C-alpha cells in the first residue's frame, strides 16, 4: 500500500525537527529566557536606582492616580505600550529565527552529501522533490511556528512581570491588564506566518540551491557570489562604463536574496523600501497590524520573488537528484 504524500511529508518534517531541534526548538527557548532575564535585571536595577534617589510611587499611589486621571486617548496609548511590551519579545526572536533559517537552509542539502547519509535517503522510496519540499516547510512553517509560540509565551510573561512590578507601586493589576490586547497580538503573530512563507521563498530557494550545488563552502558561494556581483555592478556604475541600476540590484537581488529569511523584512522593504502606515490612531506602530502587513500581497515584489523562488527550488531539486560528490 502506497504511503499518502501528506504522511511522508509529516515524517520528513518530523525528521528535520529532531535533527535540528537545537536551532528550531532550543534557540528560541533560550533566547526567550535570556530576554526575560535581562528585563528582570533591568527592572531590579531601576528599582534600586530609584530607591537610592528617593524616587518612589508606592507610598502615595501616584501611578494609580495618574491612570485614574487619564482620558480614553491616554488609556489607548497605555494599551498600545502594553502591546508593544508583548511584541518586544519577538524582536530578538525574529533575529535568531532569521539566522537559524539561513544556516539551516545552507546546510540542509549539503550536509547529507558531506556525511554520505544521502546514500541512505536515496535508497528509500522518497523523491528528491519531497525531500527538498520538507526542508522548505521546516524552514518557512515549522521554525516560525515554534518561534511565534515561544514569543507569545514570553510576551505574556513579560506583560505579567510588568503588571506585577507596577502593582508594587499602587497600580491595580487587573485595571492595567484589561487595557492590553493579547489576543490581537497573538492573532497578528500567527497570521503573519503564511505571508512569511511567500516572502522568504527567494532566499530559501537561493540558499537551498547553493546547498545542493556547492561541493564545499556553501556559505561562501551563497553570500560572496551576489555581493561580489553587486560590487562589480557598482564599480561599472562608478566608472561610467555601463548605466547599470546599482541601487536596484542591491535592493532586489542582494538584499532580497539573502535577507528575506528574516521575518518582518517584507513589511519594511516590500513597499518601495518604506514602512507603510495606514492604521489610524497608532502612528509608528502600523506595521505590526496584520491588515496593514497583508497589503504586501498587492506588491509585485512579493509575487516576482515567489516565481523566482520556485525556479530556484526546482534547481535545488535537480541538483539534489544529480549531484554526485564521490
Amino acid at each position: 500500500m502506497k504511503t499518502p504524500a501528506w504522511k511522508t511529508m509529516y515524517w520528513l518534517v518530523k525528521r528535520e525537527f529532531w535533527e535540528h531541534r537545537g536551532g528550531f526548538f532550543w534557540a528560541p527557548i533560550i533566547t526567550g529566557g535570556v530576554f526575560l532575564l535581562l528585563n528582570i535585571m533591568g527592572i531590579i536595577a531601576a528599582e534600586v536606582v530609584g530607591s537610592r534617589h528617593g524616587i518612589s510611587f508606592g507610598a502615595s499611589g501616584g501611578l494609580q492616580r495618574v491612570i485614574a486621571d487619564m482620558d480614553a486617548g491616554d488609556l489607548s496609548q497605555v494599551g498600545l505600550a502594553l502591546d508593544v511590551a508583548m511584541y518586544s519579545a519577538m524582536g530578538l526572536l525574529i533575529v535568531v529565527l532569521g539566522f537559524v533559517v539561513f544556516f539551516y537552509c545552507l546546510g540542509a542539502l549539503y550536509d547529507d552529501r558531506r556525511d554520505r547519509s544521502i546514500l541512505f535517503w536515496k535508497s528509500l522510496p522518497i523523491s528528491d522533490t519531497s525531500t527538498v519540499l520538507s526542508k522548505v516547510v521546516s524552514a518557512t512553517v515549522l521554525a516560525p511556528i515554534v518561534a511565534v509560540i515561544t514569543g507569545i509565551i514570553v510576551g505574556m510573561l513579560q506583560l505579567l512581570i510588568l503588571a506585577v512590578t507596577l502593582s508594587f507601586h499602587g497600580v491595580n493589576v487587573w485595571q492595567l491588564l484589561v487595557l492590553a490586547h493579547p489576543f490581537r497580538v497573538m492573532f497578528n503573530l500567527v497570521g503573519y506566518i503564511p505571508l512569511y512563507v511567500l516572502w522568504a521563498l527567494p532566499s530559501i530557494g537561493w540558499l537551498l540551491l547553493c546547498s545542493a550545488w556547492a561541493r564545499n563552502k556553501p556559505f561562501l558561494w551563497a553570500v560572496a557570489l551576489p555581493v561580489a556581483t553587486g560590487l562589480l555592478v557598482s564599480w561599472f556604475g562608478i566608472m561610467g562604463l555601463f548605466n547599470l541600476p546599482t541601487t536596484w540590484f542591491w535592493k532586489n537581488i542582494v538584499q532580497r536574496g539573502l535577507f528575506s529569511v528574516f521575518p518582518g523584512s517584507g513589511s519594511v522593504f516590500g513597499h518601495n523600501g518604506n514602512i507603510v502606515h495606514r492604521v489610524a490612531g497608532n502612528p509608528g506602530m502600523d506595521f505590526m497590524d496584520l491588515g496593514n502587513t497583508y497589503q504586501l500581497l498587492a506588491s509585485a515584489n512579493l509575487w516576482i520573488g515567489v516565481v523566482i523562488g520556485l525556479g530556484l527550488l526546482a534547481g535545488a531539486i535537480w541538483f539534489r537528484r544529480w549531484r554526485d560528490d564521490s
Side-chain angles (χ1 to χ4, degrees):
M1 182 178 178
K2 186 177 180 180
T3 305
W6 68 267
K7 195 169 185 177
T8 300
M9 183 61 62
Y10 168 79
W11 285 107
L12 286 173
V13 172
K14 190 172 183 178
R15 167 221 172 189
E16 296 299 320
F17 176 77
W18 284 110
E19 288 192 355
H20 301 89
R21 59 184 177 273
F24 288 159
F25 182 75
W26 289 114
I29 294 292
I30 294 173
T31 301
V34 170
F35 175 84
L36 289 176
L37 178 61
L38 291 176
N39 275 273
I40 292 173
M41 292 172 62
I43 291 173
I44 293 174
E47 293 289 339
V48 171
V49 172
S51 63
R52 285 178 180 175
H53 292 81
I55 302 173
S56 176
F57 298 96
S60 60
L63 282 177
Q64 181 63 32
R65 286 202 302 271
V66 169
I67 294 177
D69 293 338
M70 287 182 175
D71 57 22
D74 294 330
L75 292 175
S76 176
Q77 293 303 312
V78 172
L80 174 62
L82 295 174
D83 292 347
V84 171
M86 289 191 63
Y87 278 121
S88 65
M90 282 301 301
L92 195 56
L93 286 171
I94 282 174
V95 177
V96 172
L97 173 62
F99 281 109
V100 166
V101 172
F102 186 95
F103 287 103
Y104 163 75
C105 290
L106 271 180
L109 301 176
Y110 172 76
D111 290 343
D112 284 353
R113 301 199 324 273
R114 184 181 60 178
D115 61 19
R116 311 302 294 168
S117 63
I118 189 174
L119 300 176
F120 168 74
W121 292 107
K122 281 185 173 290
S123 68
L124 300 177
I126 301 174
S127 67
D128 294 291
T129 300
S130 296
T131 299
V132 173
L133 290 181
S134 71
K135 298 178 186 299
V136 174
V137 172
S138 298
T140 60
V141 179
L142 176 62
I145 285 177
V146 175
V148 165
I149 292 175
T150 303
I152 290 173
I153 295 174
V154 172
M156 294 294 289
L157 291 174
Q158 166 78 350
L159 190 62
L160 184 60
I161 290 171
L162 179 62
V164 170
T165 301
L166 292 177
S167 71
F168 289 112
H169 296 283
V171 178
N172 187 314
V173 174
W174 298 113
Q175 182 183 0
L176 186 69
L177 291 179
V178 77
L179 299 174
H181 310 90
F183 292 106
R184 185 171 68 185
V185 173
M186 295 179 194
F187 177 76
N188 288 343
L189 292 175
V190 174
Y192 180 75
I193 294 176
L195 189 62
Y196 174 73
V197 174
L198 297 175
W199 180 255
L201 270 183
S203 286
I204 300 294
W206 169 246
L207 296 173
L208 286 175
L209 177 65
C210 292
S211 183
W213 167 74
R215 292 187 182 275
N216 51 56
K217 300 178 176 63
F219 174 83
L220 187 62
W221 286 107
V223 176
L225 188 59
V227 170
T229 305
L231 292 174
L232 189 61
V233 169
S234 298
W235 182 80
F236 278 125
I238 293 173
M239 298 301 294
L241 299 177
F242 301 100
N243 186 22
L244 298 176
T246 303
T247 303
W248 180 91
F249 186 89
W250 281 101
K251 176 185 175 184
N252 293 282
I253 302 300
V254 180
Q255 174 187 284
R256 188 81 164 86
L258 295 178
F259 300 113
S260 293
V261 292
F262 288 87
S265 60
S267 299
V268 178
F269 302 112
H271 302 272
N272 300 318
N274 298 310
I275 299 175
V276 181
H277 304 287
R278 283 182 170 72
V279 180
N282 293 325
M285 299 304 298
D286 300 337
F287 68 96
M288 291 183 179
D289 184 87
L290 192 61
N292 182 72
T293 303
Y294 265 78
Q295 292 179 25
L296 190 61
L297 291 175
S299 169
N301 193 338
L302 172 72
W303 297 108
I304 292 173
V306 169
V307 173
I308 293 174
L310 292 176
L312 293 171
L313 288 176
I317 293 170
W318 189 89
F319 279 111
R320 168 76 177 185
R321 182 175 296 121
W322 299 110
R323 172 63 83 190
D324 183 5
D325 290 346
S326 59

